[in-house]
């Protein structure tokens, strides 16, 4: 299946031995290679295993230098473990080697010439490790175009990297809601999906993080016109509207990113078809 086709109901549920518990909504078989890799890490006591083949992650996995300390995301995910990749379907000996490759205290594993893995006790925490690792790989993938000699690879004391110097009187949690590792970040992604109409059903610890209710994307019905521009609006609109340059004589105006695109529909007054005035 393509990633865009996968839904929660299409996932196949298996036990630790690979026996199907719930076949899901498709007639497709279990990915044997994926199961053997993930199950090897589950055997070591990790509740959640997250494995990806992103372009940037796979590119970094093929580099002899490994993940460099080029950004704070690269520092956050340390210590980084590295493992060798022997083939599509790991043998039992290779499964045991993968288990040994994960360093004590490490939550991320880079499989050479293959991809990225993160492990953790919860979905939220494991997702956070993968998000940080993926971003670090993307940054390195881009800046290496400048040449290795132009990069600043930072060295640091891992034991002191996260020691803060915040004043004691600083109130960091005014609502008293305790978040586990990765939960606050994971909720932000769930809010993004719910604002897009996904209806995730995620059990938020804080149903509304704002003091006053703020408009979400579905509240925007019509984009306001850009002052000084004439002509019909483009067919595709949204908060991330990109610059569209009309050809001479085409009658299509130029549009650009505009903060007023996020105004709720209540602040827009329709004057004539295709045109709105912001109050």
């Amino acid at each position: 299946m393509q990633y865009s086709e996968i839904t929660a109901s299409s996932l196949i549920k298996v036990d630790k031995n690979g026996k199907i518990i719930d076949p899901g909504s498709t007639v497709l078989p279990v990915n044997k290679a994926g199961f053997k890799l993930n199950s090897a890490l589950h055997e070591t006591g990790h509740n959640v295993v997250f494995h990806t083949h992103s372009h940037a992650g796979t590119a970094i996995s093929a580099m002899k230098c490994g993940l460099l300390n080029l950004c704070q995301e690269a520092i956050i995910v340390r210590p980084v473990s590295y493992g060798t990749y022997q083939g599509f379907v790991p043998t039992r000996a290779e499964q045991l080697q993968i288990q040994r490759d994960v360093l004590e205290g490490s939550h991320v594993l880079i499989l050479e010439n293959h991809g990225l893995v993160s492990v953790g006790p919860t979905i939220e925490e494991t997702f956070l490790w993968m998000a940080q690792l993926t971003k670090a790989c993307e940054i390195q993938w881009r800046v290496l175009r400048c040449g290795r000699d132009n990069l600043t690879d930072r060295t640091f004391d891992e034991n002191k990297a996260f020691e803060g110097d915040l004043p004691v009187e600083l109130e960091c949690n005014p609502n008293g809601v305790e978040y586990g590792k990765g939960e606050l970040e994971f909720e932000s992604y769930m809010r993004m999906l719910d604002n897009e109409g996904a209806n995730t059903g995620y059990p938020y610890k804080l149903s509304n993080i704002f003091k006053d209710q703020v408009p979400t994307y579905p509240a925007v019905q019509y984009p306001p016109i850009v002052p000084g521009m004439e002509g019909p609006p483009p067919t595709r609109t949204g908060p991330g509207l990109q610059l569209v340059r009309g050809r001479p004589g085409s009658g299509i105006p130029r549009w650009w990113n505009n903060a007023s695109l996020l105004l709720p529909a209540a602040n827009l007054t329709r004057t004539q078809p295709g045109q709105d005035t912001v109050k």
Side-chain angles (χ1 to χ4, degrees):
M1 296 180 70
Q2 294 291 329
Y3 288 120
S4 60
E5 298 178 295
I6 297 174
T7 62
S9 62
S10 65
L11 297 178
I12 302 175
K13 187 176 182 180
V14 298
D15 64 14
K16 63 180 181 180
N17 298 315
K19 181 179 178 181
I20 296 179
I21 299 174
D22 185 345
S25 59
T26 75
V27 295
L28 299 176
V30 174
N31 184 317
K32 185 181 296 185
F35 169 77
K36 285 200 170 185
L37 171 62
N38 291 342
S39 63
L41 295 172
H42 280 302
E43 288 178 6
T44 61
H46 298 292
N47 292 334
V48 184
V49 179
F50 194 168
H51 179 42
T52 67
H53 297 164
S54 65
H55 292 169
T58 305
I60 301 305
S61 75
M63 296 181 182
K64 291 182 179 180
C65 63
L67 185 66
L68 303 175
N69 295 330
L70 301 177
C71 58
Q72 80 172 13
E73 287 79 11
I75 296 175
I76 288 173
V77 298
R78 296 200 180 273
V80 178
S81 302
Y82 293 90
T84 56
Y85 175 64
Q86 303 296 333
F88 290 106
V89 183
T91 64
R92 184 54 185 167
E94 291 166 353
Q95 284 184 304
L96 296 176
Q97 181 58 51
I98 290 173
Q99 293 175 359
R100 291 191 293 268
D101 288 335
V102 180
L103 302 174
E104 184 178 355
S106 177
H107 294 279
V108 297
L109 170 68
I110 297 180
L111 287 173
E112 296 175 356
N113 304 95
H114 183 73
L116 309 178
V117 179
S118 66
V119 295
T122 65
I123 292 175
E124 291 84 356
E125 179 176 339
T126 309
F127 178 87
L128 176 63
W129 291 120
M130 180 57 72
Q132 298 290 342
L133 178 60
T134 300
K135 186 174 181 180
C137 289
E138 289 174 349
I139 292 172
Q140 179 170 324
W141 188 29
R142 294 187 180 191
V143 300
L144 278 177
R145 299 172 186 175
C146 302
R148 180 70 185 273
D149 294 339
N150 291 323
L151 305 184
T152 302
D153 187 7
R154 297 291 182 184
T155 58
F156 68 100
D157 184 344
E158 292 185 8
N159 295 322
K160 296 182 179 180
F162 304 107
E163 289 184 0
D165 55 356
L166 296 176
V168 177
E169 64 273 11
L170 181 62
E171 178 58 76
C172 297
N173 191 7
N175 294 305
V177 178
E178 296 295 334
Y179 282 93
K181 186 173 293 184
E183 289 182 348
L184 191 61
E185 293 83 356
F186 195 82
E187 282 199 0
S188 70
Y189 285 98
M190 293 298 101
R191 285 197 305 274
M192 178 181 68
L193 292 176
D194 283 331
N195 285 341
E196 293 289 342
N199 296 322
T200 64
Y202 186 78
Y204 297 98
K205 288 191 174 182
L206 279 177
S207 58
N208 183 15
I209 63 172
F210 299 99
K211 295 180 179 178
D212 297 312
Q213 186 65 37
V214 296
T216 55
Y217 294 160
V220 182
Q221 295 180 2
Y222 308 105
I225 62 170
V226 179
M229 293 295 175
E230 297 179 354
T235 56
R236 297 185 64 182
T237 62
L241 192 63
Q242 300 297 315
L243 178 64
V244 178
R245 297 186 181 277
R247 295 186 299 275
S250 66
I252 302 176
R254 293 173 300 159
W255 293 69
W256 55 80
N257 291 331
N258 192 321
S260 59
L261 285 174
L262 293 179
L263 289 175
N267 291 338
L268 304 178
T269 301
R270 171 136 297 193
T271 56
Q272 54 181 316
Q275 293 187 349
D276 300 296
T277 301
V278 182
K279 289 184 179 181

